[in-house]
Amino acid sequence: DQQVKQNSPSLSVQEGRISILNCDYTNSMFDYFLWYKKYPAEGPTFLISISSIKDKNEDGRFTVFLNKSAKHLSLHIVPSQPGDSAVYFCAASAGQTDSWGKLQFGAGTQVVVTP
Amino acid sequence: KAGVTQTPRYLIKTRGQQVTLSCSPISGHRSVSWYQQTPGQGLQFLFEYFSETQRNKGNFPGRFSGRQFSNSRSEMNVSTLELGDSALYLCASSADSDPNYGYTFGSGTRLTVV
């Protein structure tokens, strides 16, 4: 069963504008959420994370919002740059009850930033 | 500091053979996780090792196994390869104590079974 869902397989955004990527989850035991970026033929690169005790975390151009009641999180990239073109994965962990080492990934969203 | 190193980068094996993949984590990291990425199933968790002990296991058949050595290096083994085992195998390491830093992934091993 897919416990982490990214329902948008692709997103096209103009350079300089905001990219918003969405992620939904079903397991209420998830207590840690991460976003990764992946280029072809490379491993995923960690971008930003958020604990379930927070509703927002910022790191430079990246902000993650968490809505626990809706079991929804989003990643905002402002401003979008051509180098942001990649596949973005949302991942979740039930670290307190399971293991930090076990991440459940969404299917990914392909972001294309156009000039 | 050096990242997560996976060897080999590419591998071609014949159906029925077995294969061993290696992962060297970031120095000081004690947790190593393995994932399989395929176009159809996405990124799926295989297993996680911490201090030489398997701490968690995903829903994969027993043909998939792994181990971790005292220096935290890890290997995963797939026996009796099937065509469906063709995938990118990724390992990730973490210091474990602080998930704020996420998990650092290697570049993966691309396994092709023919």
Side-chain angles (χ1 to χ4, degrees):
Chain A
D1 63 333
Q2 193 74 5
Q3 298 184 45
V4 179
K5 298 177 184 179
Q6 294 177 256
N7 293 318
S8 298
S10 64
L11 173 70
S12 182
V13 64
Q14 270 191 319
E15 182 178 359
R17 306 293 288 267
I18 182 172
S19 293
I20 300 177
L21 292 85
N22 294 304
C23 178
D24 297 295
Y25 62 96
T26 57
N27 188 344
S28 58
M29 301 306 292
F30 286 147
D31 50 15
Y32 217 81
F33 304 89
L34 307 93
W35 284 94
Y36 282 86
K37 177 170 75 171
K38 188 179 184 300
Y39 296 114
E42 293 184 13
T45 301
F46 172 70
L47 283 174
I48 191 169
S49 63
I50 187 166
S51 162
S52 58
I53 63 173
K54 295 184 177 181
D55 54 18
K56 178 182 174 182
N57 190 27
E58 285 181 86
D59 186 359
R61 296 186 298 116
F62 303 95
T63 303
V64 57
F65 296 92
L66 175 63
N67 182 335
K68 282 183 62 179
S69 61
K71 293 191 175 69
H72 176 85
L73 62 155
S74 61
L75 174 68
H76 292 206
I77 307 173
V78 184
S80 298
Q81 300 173 353
D84 295 333
S85 295
V87 178
Y88 289 77
F89 290 96
C90 167
S93 168
Q96 294 294 344
T97 56
D98 199 348
S99 164
W100 295 119
K102 180 179 179 181
L103 297 178
Q104 302 272 6
F105 281 87
T109 297
Q110 172 75 60
V111 172
V112 175
V113 180
T114 58
Chain B
K1 58 181 176 181
V4 178
T5 303
Q6 290 188 248
T7 56
R9 285 297 307 275
Y10 302 93
L11 207 48
I12 299 176
K13 288 287 188 178
T14 303
R15 192 171 48 182
Q17 286 186 314
Q18 75 159 9
V19 67
T20 299
L21 311 181
S22 179
C23 172
S24 294
I26 290 173
S27 177
H29 284 191
R30 295 187 296 168
S31 169
V32 174
S33 302
W34 288 88
Y35 293 83
Q36 180 196 64
Q37 186 182 25
T38 59
Q41 298 297 320
L43 274 157
Q44 292 192 293
F45 172 78
L46 279 157
F47 28 65
E48 186 229 355
Y49 287 87
F50 181 80
S51 293
E52 302 180 65
T53 301
Q54 186 180 86
R55 200 161 57 170
N56 226 318
K57 191 176 189 307
N59 297 323
F60 280 81
R63 301 185 295 107
F64 291 81
S65 63
R67 58 178 176 168
Q68 187 179 34
F69 302 95
S70 58
N71 61 357
S72 292
R73 189 177 73 85
S74 178
E75 289 181 347
M76 69 162 280
N77 185 77
V78 188
S79 63
T80 319
L81 284 165
E82 301 177 359
L83 296 179
D85 297 333
S86 295
L88 179 67
Y89 289 88
L90 293 158
C91 97
S93 76
S94 170
D96 186 66
S97 60
D98 188 350
N100 285 296
Y101 294 101
Y103 298 88
T104 304
F105 281 82
S107 296
T109 294
R110 171 72 63 184
L111 172 64
T112 303
V113 182
V114 297

